[in-house]
């Protein structure tokens, strides 16, 4: 089961968000409240890993000398 990151939604300018992780099945709905105190929460989008093999249709070709370094493939 994947681990999702959630944060509380501050109710005032003085509140700071509290971040926590929760192991959930992909079929379970997102939480709307903190499981311990009921504070409203939102799921935080976090990084992931994408792996491409071979030459997929629609994939951008690798370019050398880009802004991020040689062969990074970005358009800059």
């Amino acid at each position: 089961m994947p681990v999702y990151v959630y944060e509380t939604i501050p109710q005032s300018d003085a509140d700071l968000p509290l971040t926590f992780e929760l192991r959930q099945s992909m079929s379970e709905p997102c939480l709307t409240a903190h499981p311990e105190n009921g504070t409203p929460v939102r799921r935080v989008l976090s990084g992931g890993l994408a792996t491409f093999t071979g030459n997929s249709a629609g994939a951008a070709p690798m370019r050398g000398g880009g802004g991020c370094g040689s062969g990074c493939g970005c358009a800059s």
Side-chain angles (χ1 to χ4, degrees):
M1 275 196 289
V3 175
Y4 293 101
V5 178
Y6 287 90
E7 70 180 6
T8 57
I9 300 170
Q11 301 300 298
S12 73
D13 291 338
D15 292 342
L16 294 174
L18 170 69
T19 304
F20 63 97
E21 295 179 344
L22 183 68
R23 185 178 302 269
Q24 286 183 289
S25 168
M26 292 176 70
S27 62
E28 289 181 63
C30 296
L31 288 184
T32 57
H34 192 286
E36 294 175 6
N37 60 24
T39 304
V41 297
R42 61 182 156 227
R43 191 156 65 184
V44 178
L45 296 178
S46 57
L49 176 64
T51 304
F52 298 96
T53 58
N55 188 5
S56 300
M62 297 296 283
R63 300 170 231 236
C68 299
S70 178
C72 75
C74 74
S76 54

